[in-house]
Amino acid sequence: MKKTLIIILALATGLIMVGQAAAQGISGSAHDFSTETWNTSGEICITCHTPHNAMAGKPVLWNHTLTDNSTYVNNLQTAFGTTWGTPDGPSLLCLSCHDGTVALDNFGGTTSGTNFIGAGEQVGDGTTLDGNHPISVDYNAALVTSGELNDITSAETAGVNIYGSAPGRIQCGSCHDVHNSAGITKLLRTSNAASALCMACHNK
Ligand code: HEC
Ligand code: HEC
Ligand code: HEC
Ligand code: HEC
């Protein structure tokens, strides 16, 4: 009797896990380009990573042509007086497709791609990030002290990602997970229902 119950529980748990797997992960997500006509390999990872002959000096075996960072102007100030960062680090990997200056199919050394990001998913334009949440800025320690921002441990416990060692930095991947690990709409790291994502960092 007890054994039967355990088996039923095990089956039920298995079913729940299968249910979660369908929504989580990169397969079938906005970043699964395996069925696009411009990706003839039919692979998922290849548009961004390659096991061999990746771009020299770039992180995570990068395989996609990068955006030109030198054209970005660093001319904005946030409400708190911090000067915007010129995009750097892993945010540049995102902007390679998302700022609309480099074709989606410019990967694996190809530079003749013709498919670009749609207007609804474009972030920045190769010159400015005006109108977007700050990225490549420090997780300002003075604002933690003054109580404007929650401390890093609380923010990360609430699900976001602060890059590097203290004070740490905000990048696209602070709020998003490129591989859809959490299975949350817009590839978010944690749900923004009732603005929970915003309040992970901002003490409002
Ligand atoms: C649309 C582009 C894209 C695709 C497709 C993609 N990745 Fe990534 N991956 C990234 C970016 C960008 C980073 C760096 C993220 C960061 O640090 O913010 C990364 C980081 C990684 C890392 C190191 C850090 C981590 O997050 O674990 C591994 C491992 C990785 N990817 C594996 C894979 C594999 C395996 C696949 C295919 C199943 C894949 N990725 C598909 C863009 C992509
Ligand atoms: C991962 C932490 C984090 C998350 C999540 C986050 N923010 Fe921020 N936010 C920051 C940091 C850091 C700054 C820059 C502070 C400074 O000026 O030094 C900032 C700045 C701002 C500013 C001032 C921008 C300006 O140009 O003056 C606003 C407004 C803002 N955030 C709103 C939001 C909203 C709305 C959300 C949710 C959609 C959000 N933030 C999510 C960390 C975060
Ligand atoms: C290889 C090009 C490429 C790279 C690199 C890339 N993206 Fe995307 N991303 C796209 C395309 C194309 C779409 C729109 C797909 C569609 O039409 O559904 C998209 C969609 C998205 C969406 C919207 C998802 C949705 O469900 O609507 C988010 C958020 C996003 N990307 C964030 C990122 C972040 C953050 C990074 C870096 C960590 C990144 N992307 C790197 C090409 C890319
Ligand atoms: C502070 C958190 C935060 C940061 C940093 C951030 N995003 Fe987002 N992003 C969001 C939220 C929240 C949404 C969902 C907005 C909605 O559903 O209305 C979103 C939506 C998107 C979308 C879907 C299209 C849209 O406008 O709704 C794309 C694409 C995207 N982000 C890409 C990026 C890229 C690329 C970066 C870095 C250059 C980035 N994001 C940095 C919070 C962030």
Side-chain angles (χ1 to χ4, degrees):
M1 182 64 194
K2 214 173 180 185
K3 228 178 190 171
T4 320
L5 191 66
I6 288 169
I7 289 167
I8 290 169
L9 278 174
L11 279 172
T13 317
L15 281 174
I16 290 165
M17 285 172 78
V18 166
Q20 282 175 345
Q24 274 174 289
I26 197 160
S27 299
S29 78
H31 283 157
D32 178 352
F33 304 120
S34 57
T35 59
E36 298 290 342
T37 49
W38 48 264
N39 179 13
T40 48
S41 75
E43 294 175 20
I44 297 181
C45 315
I46 197 79
T47 61
C48 297
H49 310 283
T50 182
H52 303 291
N53 301 315
M55 286 168 72
K58 302 301 171 203
V60 297
L61 298 169
W62 197 246
N63 195 35
H64 195 277
T65 306
L66 290 172
T67 191
D68 181 1
N69 192 31
S70 67
T71 60
Y72 271 96
V73 287
N74 190 5
N75 60 352
L76 297 169
Q77 292 225 319
T78 77
F80 304 103
T82 315
T83 304
W84 273 82
T86 307
D88 65 15
S91 295
L92 277 179
L93 307 180
C94 312
L95 289 171
S96 294
C97 289
H98 278 279
D99 76 5
T101 64
V102 181
L104 301 173
D105 32 349
N106 279 0
F107 63 90
T110 305
T111 52
S112 55
T114 52
N115 291 278
F116 290 84
I117 196 106
E121 281 90 23
Q122 189 176 334
V123 177
D125 60 6
T127 311
T128 177
L129 285 159
D130 196 356
N132 294 291
H133 190 282
I135 53 147
S136 304
V137 294
D138 281 352
Y139 194 72
N140 194 328
L143 294 175
V144 174
T145 308
S146 69
E148 292 282 349
L149 292 173
N150 299 319
D151 65 69
I152 290 178
T153 308
S154 318
E156 293 197 326
T157 303
V160 297
N161 180 27
I162 313 292
Y163 283 76
S165 46
R169 257 163 123 66
I170 303 296
Q171 303 289 5
C172 306
S174 291
C175 300
H176 295 287
D177 186 313
V178 68
H179 308 116
N180 190 37
S181 304
I184 296 171
T185 172
K186 304 291 176 191
L187 310 174
L188 291 176
R189 286 191 174 269
T190 190
S191 166
N192 200 27
S195 299
L197 174 86
C198 312
M199 289 190 281
C201 294
H202 292 279
N203 178 19
K204 292 290 177 221

